[in-house]
Structures are given as C-alpha cells and as structure tokens.
Amino acid sequence: MYEAMFYEKLKNNEVRCNLCPHHCKIANFKRGICGVRENRDGTLYSLVYGKTVSLAIDPIEKKPLYHFYPGSDALSLATVGCNFKCLHCQNYEISQLPRERRKIIGEEISPEEVVSQAKSKNCRIIAYTYTEPTIFFEYAYEIAKLAKEEGIKNIFVTNGYISEEALRKMSPYLDAANVDLKAFSEDFYKRICGAHLEPVLKSLRLMKELGIWVEVTTLVIPGLNDSEEELRKIAEFITSLGKEVPWHLSRFYPAYKLRDIPPTLVNVLHRGCQIGLEAGLRYVYTGNVPGDEGENTYCYSCGKTIIQRYGYRIERLYIENGRCKYCGAKIDGVGM
C-alpha cells in the first residue's frame, strides 16, 4: 500500500480524504466512496498505487481529444475504482469493482516501467483514462512527473470531480484533459452519478485558468439530458470557458443499469451540434457514430473541412503550421 495524499487526521483514528469534492470522512479500517482509499489506524492509503488493470495504445482521437496532437498514439492506463457510480457506465466491470465486490485487482507496473513502455512504443502521450484518474492520483502523479522529464505529454480523461488542491498539484504536469460534463442538472448528477454538478463546473474553470487544454464530452441519453434546453445550457457554459473549447456530443448505447433506454437518435446529436454553434462554439462534434459528418473538423473562418475523420482515424488533414490551408485562420489546439 502507498500512503495517500490530500487527507487530514481526525479524532478516534478517523480521517478525512480531501482528494475529491466528496470529502469522505473515513472510519478506521473503512474505505471512501471510491473504494480504493482505506484508513488503517489513522493513516489513509491508496490501495491501487502501481496496480494497472488496463494498459493499451489508443489513438488520441479515442479519448476523445481532437485538438491535441491529432493522429498521435497515447499509452492509456487505468486502475480499478471511481468516485462516481454512473448508472450508464461503460467500464463498470473495473470502475465499480471495489465498490460492489470490494476487490482490488491489477498488474504491478511501476511509474518508471509505464514511462519506459511509452518511450519504447513511440507514444508521445500518456493518457490516464478508462476509469477515473483522480482516484489513482498518487500513481498518475508519479508517472506524470517522470513523463514530463522525458518530453511525454500527460492527459486526463475525467469526470472533473477533483479537489482544487489536487488539481493545482497536478497542473504543472497535466497538458490536456477531456472532461465529461454529463448534464447541466443537479438532479441528474445526484440520481445518475451519485455526485454534484457545481464541483465539475469549478474544475473546468480552474483547468482553463491553469492553462490546461480542455475538451468537453457529453454523452446524450434519451429522456435524461437530451432536451434542447439542457443542451443549450451546456453549450452556453462551455462558451463561457472559451469559444475555442471543443464539445463532443456522444451517442448513448444501453449499458450497465440503463439497458432499457434506446440509443440516441443521430438527429438529436446533429441538433445539439447546431445548438453549440449557435452558442458561439467554434468546434462541435458527434461521437460514437462512425462516418458521420460531425466527426470532421471544419474551419470556423471559411467553413471548409480541415480534418476528415472516420471513427478514430484521420483520413485527410488540411492544416499547416497550425493554420487552415485554405484561408490561413489559426486553428485552436495544441500540436495542430
């Protein structure tokens, strides 16, 4: 086990974890909501440090990050656990394992080994993804520091439920993040995710302030967060962060405890894209619809297709030195 960061000791061998906005008060020999941080005699430990449950090479477009070194490969890793309990989680087998079965599994891989693998496989990026990277913060932090020394970029694919202290600690090593903004309703966050909306909005604002490249994803679920009013609120909030922030509207497919809800109609995603553009965003995308025109990047200035995609693959690229080849407009992003 590895002593956790961001906690305080209380009376009677209790501790308070301050890694995320849950601020769990944890009794002796108990765990927090995430299921991977345990109090042992007044010392909080991470149970997942170095225990990688998933390790793979993915295109950066799969995260999805469309404006961060497009076409690059990312060494992607996760441990078990999550500080959300989303009823529609696509990776529930690993994200909810510690909560539902109190099991901690994973292959022992040191931070040095992770960075070494990224280098040997020519991955310019390490992605902390699949589950929630916040809950394996100590592990991600040590990897990220080593990666930075080697010129390797670090990205979080996250629900944004992280304390300000932890986010500021990680920020010197965190180059980009895709944040799930799951809805713009406190009721949705409480009923569907077991969390709250405002801390996610706060994290997004802070990431922008800290200079982290941010893209936002919303999984559009029929009957739960797909109304035009809801989508407009999300679009307007993202625009307040910056018109350059890309918004990914992903198609829902039945999963986990929401298997009775049908897949999202594609025309709903298209309407969401229109709402995003009307709100002033420069880049709005559809996701989980391979071959859809909403996968492409269009120049906000001349309207021409400057990145043509199919799924996670780039087929044509019309950007040169970060500018549209047609009109010369500066295309927002990193490594464009």
Side-chain angles (χ1 to χ4, degrees), residues 156-214:
F156 269 19
V157 181
T158 175
N159 58 30
Y161 221 64
I162 183 171
S163 69
E164 178 176 343
E165 182 184 8
L167 181 52
R168 287 187 181 276
K169 183 78 171 177
M170 180 61 81
S171 64
Y173 311 102
L174 188 61
D175 299 286
N178 184 292
V179 180
D180 280 337
L181 182 50
K182 297 175 184 289
F184 214 78
S185 157
E186 173 67 8
D187 178 67
F188 180 102
Y189 267 86
K190 287 176 69 174
R191 287 191 304 110
I192 307 300
C193 307
H196 299 282
L197 169 62
E198 184 55 39
V200 180
L201 306 182
K202 182 179 178 182
S203 290
L204 278 161
R205 295 187 192 104
L206 183 56
M207 285 180 184
K208 288 291 292 180
E209 177 188 318
L210 294 170
I212 298 164
W213 176 257
V214 172

Side-chain angles (χ1 to χ4, degrees), residues 271-301:
R271 177 58 183 145
C273 289
Q274 185 180 355
I275 288 170
L277 294 172
E278 289 170 355
L281 293 174
R282 287 179 169 179
Y283 315 102
V284 190
Y285 299 102
T286 58
N288 292 341
V289 191
D292 189 74
E293 62 183 14
E295 292 183 317
N296 300 328
T297 298
Y298 301 93
C299 177
Y300 61 89
S301 179

Side-chain angles (χ1 to χ4, degrees), residues 39-73:
N39 178 5
R40 296 281 181 93
D41 294 320
T43 299
L44 187 64
Y45 290 95
S46 167
L47 305 180
V48 293
Y49 185 93
K51 289 182 167 57
T52 300
V53 73
S54 184
L55 187 69
I57 297 175
D58 293 326
I60 191 66
E61 285 77 16
K62 190 176 181 180
K63 299 302 108 188
L65 282 167
Y66 279 10
H67 290 251
F68 188 81
Y69 294 99
S72 297
D73 286 333

Side-chain angles (χ1 to χ4, degrees), residues 93-167:
E93 294 97 337
I94 55 175
S95 71
Q96 302 304 313
L97 190 65
R99 189 199 311 269
E100 295 184 348
R101 298 174 60 187
R102 288 188 62 82
K103 288 187 69 174
I104 305 293
I105 61 172
E107 180 185 355
E108 292 283 352
I109 305 178
S110 71
E112 291 81 5
E113 288 175 289
V114 173
V115 174
S116 178
Q117 285 202 39
K119 288 177 64 179
S120 67
K121 296 174 194 285
N122 296 315
C123 294
R124 71 189 307 167
I125 299 163
I126 295 177
Y128 309 86
T129 179
Y130 303 137
T131 58
E132 174 49 48
T134 296
I135 60 91
F136 58 93
F137 184 95
E138 294 81 5
Y139 187 34
Y141 182 69
E142 292 303 322
I143 296 170
K145 286 195 297 182
L146 294 172
K148 194 79 166 182
E149 293 174 3
E150 298 291 340
I152 297 171
K153 306 299 183 183
N154 296 288
I155 67 168
F156 269 19
V157 181
T158 175
N159 58 30
Y161 221 64
I162 183 171
S163 69
E164 178 176 343
E165 182 184 8
L167 181 52

